[in-house]
Amino acid sequence: MDLTRDPLPKLMWQIAVPGATAMFLQTVLNLTDTWFAGRLSTLAQAALSLSFPLFFVLATFGAGLSTGASALVGRALGAGDRNAARCLAGQAIFLTLILGFALMILGPAIARPAFVSMGADGEYLNLCLNYMNIIFLFAPVFLLLSITNSLLVVQGDSRSMRDVLAVSAVLNFFLDWWLMGGGLGVPPLGVAGLALATGLVQAGSVVVLGRRVFRTGLFLTPQGQYAPPTASWPGGDGPDKNFIASSLPGFRSALRPRLDLQRELARQAWPPALNQASVGLGIYVINWFVGRFGAEAIAAYGVAVRLEQLVLLPALGISLAMLPLAAQNDGAGFFERAVEARALAVRWGVRVSVVAFVVLVFGGYYLMGLVSPDEGVRAEGAWFLKFDACAFLAYVILYINVAFLQGLKRPMFAIWIGLYRQIAAPVLVFWLLAFVLGLGTTGIWLGIALVTVSGAVIAEAYTRRVVRRRRALLNPPAPPDPEGYGQGRGGV
């Protein structure tokens, strides 16, 4: 797979479909936890929903490092500099381990005050802590999963994550049932069992994906014997049968701290990390406002968001393909090809949005019933999904443009649009609609849709401006022609 030469529709399909399938399976993992929690109680289901903002603390660092690594490694590969790609990948893994162990230690300290501020107390608070403290214990694993997957996707391999998650979904269901309810010498662990099952499954996934990264030859030194991917390995992704032994010297050297590369990674990583942090803060803001209307409303929002993620998967797959296509093509000097890829992604996104609108508007109530047995939760979640359907195309436009800009090494926009869309606008709009106008949860659902649409308009306008400016730099206007040559006045 050559991201700089193969036909764009073929590449988009080859990256987006396995990537979307992988995210579907990841969402199934999350929904499995939510489904089992609902069998315990509505309060347990609400506890998992309230854990979203803290879970996004992990996602923040994972998204930042993986996006930064994807942009820089992708550009290095596009320019043909495999040594730079190897060193950047090693430094990304080094930073991932440092941050992962820091979060494992600091996470539980911030969990209690965070949950209390969102209205949790008594049994509700205990359920939240029982779940989230176990998740923080596996913080290094969650971050490593993000970075290993990104190192595969930037080389065009989104299939490995899909394959791993297909197995993980089955294992997670069994582990949820076993660890939550107990048996075979294990006492019933409740929501802590759901968190432990998730951590164990993710750890196994890291081992498999790590091996796949070595098989690509990414960590072979310039003196190593690199061979292109062949069909000799399952999936055709291994240079030779001693891929680990051949790559270990290069991997160890790539892990040695390099402050220059770490600074470069940090410049690319902190904008998407802050963008992801704004998502976590945005969920915190939504939970704070929704929490004023009780645990049932919190549970409805939590279940509906997970269902929304299922329907968003094709769009997320398209944006997943957008970043490596933009990074490698722009890195190789093919800017117009990167722009063409963005236009293709938007066209596909419009088609996906039409289907999503029909599914969410007419099937939302049925989908909610598959996850939650509580009629109040089901009705409120279906009402939210109707508003979400109206803003679906806006989500698609946002994701595609942010990924495109990150591929061009312009990650700062993600911060500003994230702060606007997740914090600044929602606080004002939710307060106005829900409390001043007295619309209650309906005001919050309407506010989410309005803020998302306005964010998409801003993102599209900014991206078009970037494209115009880049074209002007690459194709400057011709110098003045005072003698009139070439203008029909006798010029030759």
Side-chain angles (χ1 to χ4, degrees):
M1 182 185 298
D2 188 340
L3 272 62
T4 61
R5 299 185 183 279
D6 291 349
L8 286 173
K10 175 185 174 183
L11 290 171
M12 189 77 72
W13 182 267
Q14 288 178 332
I15 300 174
V17 172
T21 305
M23 286 183 276
F24 165 78
L25 293 168
Q26 183 64 61
T27 304
V28 168
L29 288 171
N30 296 334
L31 281 170
T32 300
D33 289 354
T34 304
W35 186 85
F36 273 103
R39 269 56 203 167
L40 282 174
S41 67
T42 298
L43 200 62
Q45 202 167 57
L48 264 65
S49 299
L50 208 67
S51 299
F52 266 20
L54 290 183
F55 204 95
F56 263 83
V57 171
L58 297 177
T60 291
F61 292 101
L65 285 170
S66 61
T67 303
S70 293
L72 294 178
V73 173
R75 294 178 71 86
L77 291 173
D81 192 345
R82 296 193 63 87
N83 186 51
R86 174 182 65 85
C87 293
L88 286 163
Q91 293 307 294
I93 292 174
F94 175 81
L95 290 175
T96 296
L97 291 170
I98 296 297
L99 287 170
F101 284 110
L103 285 170
M104 183 175 67
I105 296 169
L106 298 175
I110 67 173
R112 179 178 290 273
F115 287 132
V116 170
S117 71
M118 288 186 283
D121 57 9
E123 182 187 359
Y124 192 12
L125 176 60
N126 289 333
L127 289 170
C128 293
L129 293 173
N130 288 343
Y131 180 78
M132 204 61 216
N133 285 343
I134 299 294
I135 293 295
F136 275 124
L137 185 64
F138 285 92
V141 170
F142 282 97
L143 298 188
L144 280 173
L145 185 63
S146 292
I147 198 69
T148 51
N149 181 49
S150 72
L151 293 177
L152 290 169
V153 171
V154 78
Q155 299 178 76
D157 178 11
S158 58
R159 297 171 298 165
S160 293
M161 189 66 162
R162 175 202 62 189
D163 298 343
V164 165
L165 287 174
V167 178
S168 297
V170 177
L171 289 175
N172 187 68
F173 185 91
F174 169 73
L175 289 173
D176 275 352
W177 167 77
W178 177 34
L179 297 175
M180 186 185 82
L184 302 178
V186 175
L189 299 176
V191 293
L194 301 179
L196 181 59
T198 299
L200 292 174
V201 166
Q202 301 280 31
S205 300
V206 168
V207 173
V208 176
L209 291 185
R211 290 170 61 87
R212 294 284 178 97
V213 171
F214 277 110
R215 289 181 185 180
T216 65
L218 180 63
F219 288 110
L220 287 174
T221 62
Q223 293 77 32
Q225 297 299 312
Y226 175 76
T230 68
S232 59
W233 284 92
D237 57 351
D240 60 67
K241 68 178 182 178
N242 296 314
F243 58 92
I244 292 182
S246 302
S247 297
L248 275 178
F251 177 64
R252 284 194 295 265
S253 67
L255 280 180
R256 293 182 191 130
R258 292 267 308 270
L259 291 179
D260 57 332
L261 296 183
Q262 289 174 12
R263 282 194 294 267
E264 182 68 14
L265 278 166
R267 280 194 290 268
Q268 287 297 310
W270 74 266
L274 283 183
N275 179 47
Q276 191 71 19
S278 72
V279 174
L281 287 172
I283 294 175
Y284 176 88
V285 169
I286 294 173
N287 278 342
W288 190 92
F289 278 96
V290 176
R292 309 307 106 183
F293 302 95
E296 187 177 84
I298 283 283
Y301 172 69
V303 173
V305 166
R306 282 177 164 87
L307 293 172
E308 170 204 57
Q309 290 171 346
L310 278 177
V311 184
L312 269 172
L313 290 176
L316 292 172
I318 293 169
S319 66
L320 177 74
M322 186 70 262
L323 197 155
L325 285 172
Q328 285 215 27
N329 282 286
D330 192 48
F334 304 142
F335 174 69
E336 287 300 331
R337 181 174 162 88
V339 174
E340 184 183 348
R342 188 189 84 94
L344 176 65
V346 171
R347 290 197 298 271
W348 285 20
V350 171
R351 298 169 190 168
V352 167
S353 299
V354 173
V355 177
F357 179 85
V358 174
V359 170
L360 292 176
V361 169
F362 298 103
Y365 183 76
Y366 172 75
L367 292 172
M368 286 293 300
L370 294 177
V371 182
S372 178
D374 187 298
E375 180 59 30
V377 171
R378 184 178 185 181
E380 188 66 56
W383 183 232
F384 163 76
L385 289 174
K386 285 181 170 59
F387 287 95
D388 208 50
C390 298
F392 195 90
L393 180 59
Y395 286 112
V396 175
I397 297 297
L398 274 166
Y399 296 151
I400 290 172
N401 284 327
V402 167
F404 174 75
L405 292 168
Q406 287 168 339
L408 300 187
K409 292 183 68 175
R410 299 182 71 100
M412 286 299 298
F413 176 76
I415 294 179
W416 304 120
I417 197 65
L419 292 174
Y420 164 78
R421 190 170 72 89
Q422 304 291 352
I423 302 170
V427 169
L428 176 61
V429 173
F430 295 170
W431 171 77
L432 179 64
L433 295 177
F435 298 116
V436 176
L437 298 181
L439 296 179
T441 54
T442 298
I444 300 174
W445 311 150
L446 174 61
I448 292 171
L450 292 175
V451 170
T452 303
V453 170
S454 64
V457 171
I458 295 170
E460 181 67 16
Y462 179 79
T463 303
R464 292 189 179 196
R465 180 185 177 192
V466 168
V467 170
R468 286 195 302 270
R469 289 190 171 186
R470 179 68 76 85
R471 281 173 170 163
L473 289 173
L474 294 174
N475 304 290
D481 187 8
E483 300 298 327
Y485 291 109
Q487 298 186 25
R489 293 207 302 260
V492 182

